[in-house]
Amino acid sequence: MGSASKPSPSAAAPSRRKVALCLTLLTLQYGAQPLISKRCVGQGVIVTSLVLAIELLKVICAVILLVAEGSLKAQFSNWSLVGSLTASGLPAAIYALQNSLLQISYKNLDSLTFSILNQTKLLFTAFFTYLILGQKQSPKQILALALLITASVLLSIGESSRKGVKKHTSYMMTIEMSFIGSMCLLASTFQSPDGEALRIYGFFHEWTLWTVIPVLMNAVGGILVGLVTSYAGGVKKGFVIVLALLVTALLQFIFDGKLPSLHCLVALPLVMTSIFIYQKYPYVDRKKKD
């Protein structure tokens, strides 16, 4: 009786093939997104329209996946507005702002430079998790963060000189954050330049069929992040980021014929080493271990 109640390994965890597929797709999405966004999104496209379209597609994808696994009704039966706002309100507002800044960066930065600089979020994540949650960093993680700072400084110099949980829980979190973030963006349009542009030119100003490609990729990438974190954990996600940097460098050379600058060539291995060390050697509380 007792053994019959235990879930089978196949039911408890996804297959290796499914995990490998999610890891591969996320690597390609991370690596190709900067280049595709830069090539497919015109300078005149309104950033807020892009972000709102991405968030809408994320909600649609998450709902489809919840329906496919038969848990949509159960998830929404336990849902409450107060709980949603408490858990997702502030992160969603910050995330909406981040997505807007990402779209601006895609347009104005070299694809590889963007991908490397984007990883400095690890530094700020470490700082704020310590400040808010008291989560400490191991000596090796501190070394990794120092490498990351060095890489970001190198890229900043180079750029200026050249220019002058459970699976369905993650789906619900995606729906909540996308919805609340969209509401924050819509509220901001009453006073923002983007809001004025939307009222004058319309939502799809300077959109083309090509614009849909990076929007769809970004939305699917948001779902894949939740799946990879749930299926494979943070360490393997770190390896995905490392491989994605190489994919970006390769695609930039293939499609633009552009070799990485000297600053990028120095910064790339620093960032890759930093991510590897940071994910591989987390802080261990010796008191708790003993």
Side-chain angles (χ1 to χ4, degrees):
M1 291 291 290
S3 60
S5 63
K6 294 179 181 179
S8 65
S10 59
S15 66
R16 290 184 178 181
R17 184 177 294 179
K18 191 171 185 178
V19 173
L21 177 62
C22 288
L23 288 168
T24 302
L25 289 175
L26 186 59
T27 300
L28 293 174
Q29 189 270 329
Y30 269 168
Q33 187 73 54
L35 192 72
I36 290 177
S37 293
K38 194 175 183 68
R39 293 170 74 95
C40 295
V41 178
Q43 287 288 337
V45 173
I46 302 169
V47 169
T48 299
S49 71
L50 285 173
V51 178
L52 286 172
I54 290 167
E55 298 308 319
L56 176 61
L57 282 173
K58 282 183 186 177
V59 171
I60 293 171
C61 290
V63 169
I64 290 172
L65 290 168
L66 284 172
V67 170
E69 68 178 19
S71 61
L72 180 66
K73 186 176 180 180
Q75 287 295 315
F76 278 98
S77 65
N78 297 323
W79 183 87
S80 70
L81 179 60
V82 174
S84 175
L85 290 173
T86 302
S88 305
L90 182 59
I94 296 172
Y95 194 62
L97 174 61
Q98 173 191 299
N99 282 344
S100 297
L101 295 174
L102 285 176
Q103 296 302 323
I104 295 170
S105 300
Y106 287 145
K107 293 181 183 181
N108 294 286
L109 284 176
D110 171 89
S111 299
L112 183 58
T113 301
F114 165 81
S115 293
I116 298 175
L117 281 175
N118 191 36
Q119 301 317 314
T120 56
K121 61 189 175 187
L122 189 65
L123 172 65
F124 295 102
T125 300
F127 173 72
F128 283 107
T129 52
Y130 175 74
L131 190 67
I132 299 171
L133 302 176
Q135 182 176 321
K136 297 180 179 179
Q137 311 296 315
S138 70
K140 289 180 179 178
Q141 284 182 317
I142 293 173
L143 171 63
L145 294 174
L147 291 176
L148 199 59
I149 293 171
T150 303
S152 65
V153 170
L154 274 172
L155 284 171
S156 297
I157 294 170
E159 190 68 20
S160 62
S161 65
R162 185 175 62 218
K163 288 185 178 182
V165 163
K166 288 182 182 181
K167 179 179 57 175
H168 43 264
T169 303
S170 84
Y171 294 153
M172 280 303 296
M173 183 64 79
T174 296
I175 293 171
E176 290 175 350
M177 290 190 65
S178 294
F179 178 77
I180 297 171
S182 296
M183 293 302 101
C184 293
L185 278 175
L186 286 172
S188 73
T189 58
F190 288 101
Q191 293 294 330
S192 69
D194 268 15
E196 186 177 352
L198 286 170
R199 288 187 288 273
I200 295 173
Y201 302 112
F203 189 88
F204 294 105
H205 176 63
E206 291 202 19
W207 277 56
T208 67
L209 288 176
W210 295 108
T211 311
V212 177
I213 297 174
V215 168
L216 184 60
M217 281 184 61
N218 219 317
V220 173
I223 300 294
L224 285 172
V225 168
L227 291 175
V228 166
T229 305
S230 175
Y231 289 164
V235 174
K236 287 186 179 178
K237 184 185 170 187
F239 289 123
V240 164
I241 294 170
V242 169
L243 290 173
L245 292 172
L246 295 176
V247 170
T248 302
L250 179 62
L251 290 177
Q252 183 172 276
F253 175 69
I254 292 173
F255 290 103
D256 290 343
K258 188 176 182 181
L259 289 171
S261 67
L262 178 61
H263 295 92
C264 279
L265 288 174
V266 176
L268 183 60
L270 287 177
V271 173
M272 293 170 66
T273 305
S274 171
I275 294 169
F276 175 80
I277 293 174
Y278 191 87
Q279 299 283 357
K280 187 73 174 176
Y281 302 102
Y283 176 79
V284 177
D285 192 331
R286 293 185 179 179
K287 293 180 181 179
K288 290 183 179 180
K289 189 176 181 181
D290 296 337

